[in-house]
Amino acid sequence: MNIQVEQALGTVLKNWRAMTVADMDEAEGSADQFEASFYSFIDTVREWATAELKPFPQTIEQFLALPPILSILDKLPAPLHLNFETEAELIMDNIIRVDDEKYD
């Protein structure tokens, strides 16, 4: 796996853990921090995929079956798989979300 993707994934996982144990006073801040790191991670995956994957996968199934992507899915908590797969579809379709369209 690309070093930038690995570092961004590490940040997402750290922020996920922090969010899951945050008390009520910290919950909103932890959630915001997690969300920002998740979309930064997705941007890093997008950059890696568009720069490194030659030829680029033709289907989402091919993309999700790539060893680096399987490694990501192995490390991501199960509740984040659907979010990651949704973002992977956008990467495949070359669609970039604007901040207003990101999950609330």
Side-chain angles (χ1 to χ4, degrees), residues 4 9-10 23 31-32 34 39 45 48 60 63 80 87 98-99:
Q4 289 86 3
L9 177 59
D23 61 27
D32 290 344
F34 165 75
Y39 286 108
V45 171
W48 164 79
I60 188 64
F63 184 79
L80 297 178
E87 296 300 322
V98 293
D99 287 339

Side-chain angles (χ1 to χ4, degrees), residues 11-42:
T11 302
V12 166
L13 296 174
K14 177 181 74 106
N15 290 337
W16 173 262
R17 285 188 295 274
M19 185 180 71
T20 61
V21 298
D23 61 27
M24 293 301 271
D25 293 335
E26 301 169 336
E28 184 176 357
S30 293
D32 290 344
Q33 191 169 10
F34 165 75
E35 181 182 31
S37 68
F38 181 79
Y39 286 108
S40 177
F41 164 66
I42 293 300

